Amino acid sequence: MADSGARYYQDDLALVHHRGFGFHADMCAPGIVASLASVRERAGLVVELGCGSGLLTRHLLDAGHRVVATDASPAMLELARHVAPDADAIRRLVLPDDPIPSADAIVSVGHALNYLPDEEAVARALVAIAEALRPGGVLAIDLCDLEWGVARRDLATHGRVGDDWAIITEPSVPAANHFVRDMTIFVKNDDGSWRRDRERHDNVLLDTTLVPGLLARHGVEAQVRASFGAEELPIGLRAIIGHRPA
């Protein structure tokens, strides 16, 4: 499999995402932290997949958890080392082939698995997640459903601007299970000039109603929910909540 971490979230987009798009991790954190209460009580290990710049990691650590934070993007990991230096480990992990550490909880926000190249790769990653989860372990991840593409089929090109960054995103839905974002990223240099970069992100969309059955075949009981807690997730984004019976 191609190393998607080498082309997704390079230096400038990682920085822009950290500075301007942390609201998703902040929004999801209370529900995820609440679901991990039993893990915290037994000082269990939380493995985070697709940790990005460490924003959810920070919430988990502040709640008293032991965390191994992982991502495929070296640029994101560098940011995470500054945001969450007290994590047990911050390391590169590229799904679906890299082994996932055995864990008492596995969490992920930002639909990291949808960045894999196809449904088969996502299924392999879900099986690996299930097999890494210890008895009594908790699962809490988000995934983009097929509804994600339906809801964004007519979405226009749009942009966001910060004090020292800007991003223009051109979305498209070339197939029912394929969502694309072509992004132009601008970041301000120390001398006041601006630099520009481009990234194309391809996401495979899933029929998430099939996920609980797949996980069940590997010993994890799971449900597809509209949220992790009280937050309102974007249309088409699902929370997958589960556990491996003790």
Side-chain angles (χ1 to χ4, degrees), residues 181-194:
R181 287 177 294 153
D182 282 298
M183 291 170 284
T184 305
I185 307 107
F186 302 89
V187 174
K188 194 174 186 179
N189 294 313
D190 292 340
D191 64 2
S193 64
W194 290 77

Side-chain angles (χ1 to χ4, degrees), residues 97-156:
D97 296 316
D98 288 351
I100 300 172
S102 176
D104 299 288
I106 296 177
V107 303
S108 181
V109 299
H111 54 271
L113 270 60
N114 295 99
Y115 277 88
L116 299 181
D118 52 37
E119 290 91 339
E120 188 273 338
V122 176
R124 286 172 55 206
L126 287 167
V127 169
I129 288 169
E131 293 180 346
L133 202 60
R134 296 168 180 161
V138 176
L139 172 67
I141 65 173
D142 62 10
L143 289 172
C144 291
D145 188 77
L146 292 168
E147 187 190 21
W148 181 276
V150 174
R152 291 160 180 80
R153 189 163 288 141
D154 299 318
L155 185 62

Side-chain angles (χ1 to χ4, degrees), residues 126-237:
L126 287 167
V127 169
I129 288 169
E131 293 180 346
L133 202 60
R134 296 168 180 161
V138 176
L139 172 67
I141 65 173
D142 62 10
L143 289 172
C144 291
D145 188 77
L146 292 168
E147 187 190 21
W148 181 276
V150 174
R152 291 160 180 80
R153 189 163 288 141
D154 299 318
L155 185 62
T157 298
H158 55 280
R160 289 191 62 195
V161 178
D163 291 340
D164 53 5
W165 59 268
I167 185 169
I168 299 169
T169 302
E170 182 179 355
S172 61
V173 186
N177 66 344
H178 187 194
F179 180 69
V180 176
R181 287 177 294 153
D182 282 298
M183 291 170 284
T184 305
I185 307 107
F186 302 89
V187 174
K188 194 174 186 179
N189 294 313
D190 292 340
D191 64 2
S193 64
W194 290 77
R195 62 183 183 269
R196 181 175 66 179
D197 197 6
R198 291 184 63 88
E199 289 197 29
R200 171 184 163 122
H201 287 199
D202 292 85
N203 293 147
V204 59
L205 307 179
L206 308 168
D207 181 352
T208 56
T209 64
L210 302 177
V211 172
L214 173 62
L215 293 171
R217 291 193 291 275
H218 295 272
V220 172
E221 300 174 2
Q223 296 180 334
V224 181
R225 299 184 184 175
S227 67
F228 294 107
E231 83 283 356
E232 184 175 346
L233 294 178
I235 295 173
L237 189 64

Side-chain angles (χ1 to χ4, degrees), residues 32-115:
I32 291 176
V33 167
S35 73
L36 301 183
S38 63
V39 176
R40 183 180 61 250
E41 289 169 2
R42 63 179 185 271
L45 179 67
V46 179
V47 170
E48 183 182 0
L49 303 174
C51 69
S53 60
L55 299 176
L56 176 61
T57 319
R58 184 69 265 156
H59 285 285
L60 295 168
L61 292 167
D62 289 347
H65 286 286
R66 297 169 49 227
V67 183
V68 171
T70 73
D71 202 282
S73 163
M76 283 295 201
L77 290 170
E78 187 61 29
L79 291 168
R81 291 185 181 100
H82 293 281
V83 173
D86 46 336
D88 276 29
I90 296 175
R91 66 177 69 158
R92 193 159 190 257
L93 188 151
V94 181
L95 293 171
D97 296 316
D98 288 351
I100 300 172
S102 176
D104 299 288
I106 296 177
V107 303
S108 181
V109 299
H111 54 271
L113 270 60
N114 295 99
Y115 277 88

